[in-house]
Amino acid sequence: MPKTLEGQITMEKTPSYFVTKEAPARIYAMSRDTKLIVVVRDPVTRAISDYTQTLSKKPDIPTFQSLTFKNRTTGLIDTSWSAVQIGIYAKHLDSWLQFFPMRQILFVSGERLISDPAGELGRVQDFLGLKRIITDKHFYFNQTKGFPCLKKAEGSSKPHCLGKTKGRTHPNIHPEVVQRLRDFYRPFNMKFYQMTGRIFGWEE
Ligand SMILES: Nc1ncnc2c1ncn2[C@@H]1O[C@H](COP(=O)(O)OS(=O)(=O)O)[C@@H](OP(=O)(O)O)[C@H]1O
């Protein structure tokens, strides 16, 4: 990481850090003051989104259902499948809390990032000790894309939406499979709400 000068913030984004066992110790060794920001969404939708992304690159992979279960008859979930494993947020957070206090970690709601991007970014700016520069007036909802977009891209007068790889249509998953996953995640989600002090509302 480059050295940060007075008045600067150095940022780096790597989604896999949150679920990488060695990452907390390594980051702590580099700089124990590091602030950590993690975007989390309903782990069931996250798993389907993860699968959709893989499917777009490898169309021949097995169905979502066959990857989810170790045993379809007993309904035993395959927790070694990364799409399932990553959504056990409470477990991953435990590893980070061995090194960093909760006050240095911010969890951003992926759902609110879509329904209220300015509100969620308000929390990010506060967490980073920044003035709330980014507000509602920077976003508009793009009906075609189905997501909020920036009114102006940086250095341009044109609006900017995220690319085609964000917001892919998810395949239909059998409601029973979804329900089984919901049941699987419920206790982990409850633990995660307790740990973070925020109810993300994934059970509704
Ligand atoms: N503004 C806006 N525009 C488009 N997409 C948005 C936006 N805000 C959040 N999202 C959600 O971002 C999801 C993809 O992000 P990822 O973190 O999975 O991307 S990646 O892993 O870094 O490729 C993507 O998930 P999918 O819908 O499953 O594709 C979106 O739901």
Side-chain angles (χ1 to χ4, degrees):
M1 287 282 263
K3 292 271 182 234
T4 305
L5 299 173
E6 187 76 29
Q8 291 184 329
I9 295 180
T10 305
M11 299 185 89
E12 200 261 351
K13 181 207 99 158
T14 303
S16 58
Y17 280 172
F18 185 55
V19 299
T20 302
K21 233 176 55 220
E22 302 79 11
R26 285 185 187 156
I27 296 177
Y28 184 82
M30 182 195 68
S31 165
R32 63 178 63 183
D33 303 325
T34 302
K35 287 185 179 180
L36 308 153
I37 301 176
V38 189
V39 182
V40 285
R41 75 197 285 193
D42 178 342
V44 179
T45 334
R46 209 215 73 82
I48 300 171
S49 170
D50 194 324
Y51 174 78
T52 308
Q53 192 171 20
T54 311
L55 191 65
S56 73
K57 295 175 194 154
K58 299 185 204 159
D60 294 337
I61 55 167
T63 61
F64 180 85
Q65 168 164 336
S66 56
L67 291 166
T68 299
F69 296 109
K70 253 193 181 139
N71 183 322
R72 183 68 188 97
T73 323
T74 59
L76 188 66
I77 305 262
D78 187 352
T79 53
S80 68
W81 182 32
S82 62
V84 168
Q85 223 264 335
I86 293 172
I88 311 175
Y89 303 136
K91 185 185 136 243
H92 306 303
L93 177 54
D94 254 337
S95 325
W96 288 90
L97 291 175
Q98 308 302 312
F99 292 89
F100 293 93
M102 255 324 278
R103 65 172 184 281
Q104 267 170 254
I105 315 176
L106 179 74
F107 286 95
V108 172
S109 157
E111 287 81 12
R112 299 287 301 167
L113 203 53
I114 295 167
S115 64
D116 178 21
E120 220 44 35
L121 281 166
R123 296 179 69 244
V124 172
Q125 292 169 94
D126 292 348
F127 175 69
L128 295 177
L130 298 172
K131 265 202 286 187
R132 286 197 172 203
I133 302 277
I134 299 170
T135 62
D136 262 335
K137 66 176 196 290
H138 292 91
F139 297 96
Y140 73 99
F141 191 83
N142 183 308
Q143 296 292 346
T144 320
K145 178 90 182 153
F147 285 100
C149 300
L150 278 176
K151 283 202 175 138
K152 282 183 195 170
E154 209 184 331
S156 152
S157 57
K158 289 193 188 140
H160 177 72
C161 295
L162 295 181
K164 280 201 206 88
T165 61
K166 314 279 173 187
R168 292 188 183 97
T169 308
H170 293 177
N172 282 325
I173 307 298
H174 198 288
E176 244 180 58
V177 178
V178 172
Q179 192 51 50
R180 181 63 197 93
L181 273 172
R182 293 224 164 281
D183 295 343
F184 167 77
Y185 279 121
R186 191 169 299 107
F188 297 112
N189 288 346
M190 294 302 146
K191 170 101 190 296
F192 184 66
Y193 297 171
Q194 250 175 27
M195 294 167 91
T196 57
R198 184 172 184 187
I199 296 164
F200 287 84
W202 297 321
E203 278 61 45
E204 289 148 24

